[in-house]
């Protein structure tokens, strides 16, 4: 009876952990009275942010409920309406563009590695000894203190 379950687990692609971790960290920060901010790679295709606020290809966005109106954090994107220099702007950022989330007051949070959500298949012999493959390599997530 375990064979169908095993087959399902081997053939169904794994979903990215990133959106789940972002939502969890956002909730944790809010529960602790902290202001959640996300760091965005503005060069990723589909990112819609005010370009005048982008520095070195990145932008930091306040995603607290008081700053990010109509905040939606789906598995595909983070979207909300906010004011930048007094002008309203509809922000939309794909989850893959989120480089990290942290609390403004403490700096605690998470940084996400690029490409960590889409690991190479395990049967690829060229990637057998890559870091992060469970053989003592570096972790894909880092706690920022």
């Amino acid at each position: 009876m375990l064979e169908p379950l095993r087959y399902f687990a081997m053939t169904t692609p794994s979903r990215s952990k990133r959106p789940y971790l972002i939502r969890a960290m956002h909730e944790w920060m809010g529960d602790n009275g902290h202001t959640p901010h996300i760091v965005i790679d503005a060069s990723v295709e589909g990112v819609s942010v005010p370009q005048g606020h982008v520095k070195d290809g990145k932008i930091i966005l306040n995603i607290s409920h008081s700053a990010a109106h109509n905040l939606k954090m789906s598995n595909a994107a983070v979207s909300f309406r906010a004011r930048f220099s007094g002008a309203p702007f509809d922000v939309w950022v794909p989850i893959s563009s989120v480089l990290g989330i942290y609390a403004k007051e403490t700096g605690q949070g998470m940084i996400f590695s690029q490409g960590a959500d889409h690991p190479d298949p395990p049967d690829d012999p060229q990637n057998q000894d890559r870091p992060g493959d469970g053989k003592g390599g570096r972790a894909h997530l880092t706690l920022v203190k």
Side-chain angles (χ1 to χ4, degrees):
M1 199 66 163
L2 293 176
E3 283 303 310
L5 180 59
R6 182 174 173 217
Y7 176 77
F8 177 77
M10 291 174 53
T11 60
T12 304
S14 177
R15 290 186 179 197
S16 170
K17 295 178 286 251
R18 191 177 299 205
Y20 299 93
L21 293 170
I22 292 167
R23 288 190 296 265
M25 292 297 291
H26 182 269
E27 182 179 352
W28 176 79
M29 290 172 195
D31 287 352
N32 284 285
H34 298 147
T35 311
H37 284 69
I38 53 176
V39 181
I40 303 299
D41 179 350
S43 68
V44 171
E45 186 175 339
V47 169
S48 179
V49 295
Q51 292 300 307
H53 295 272
V54 173
K55 291 188 174 86
D56 297 324
K58 296 178 180 52
I59 186 169
I60 298 173
L61 302 170
N62 178 345
I63 58 168
S64 66
H65 289 292
S66 61
H69 303 282
N70 200 24
L71 176 65
K72 291 182 176 61
M73 293 186 286
S74 72
N75 288 349
V78 175
S79 63
F80 57 92
R81 185 171 188 87
R83 292 191 158 295
F84 294 86
S85 302
F89 192 93
D90 290 322
V91 173
W92 193 89
V93 294
I95 286 295
S96 62
S97 70
V98 180
L99 300 175
I101 180 169
Y102 69 94
K104 178 183 177 187
E105 295 79 3
T106 64
Q108 291 182 326
M110 290 183 160
I111 294 176
F112 303 104
S113 297
Q114 291 293 55
D117 289 336
H118 305 288
D120 293 320
D123 59 353
D124 185 351
Q126 293 179 344
N127 295 312
Q128 292 290 328
D129 297 322
R130 289 182 58 179
D133 64 358
K135 298 179 182 176
R138 292 187 59 184
H140 290 288
L141 302 176
T142 305
L143 178 62
V144 178
K145 293 185 179 184

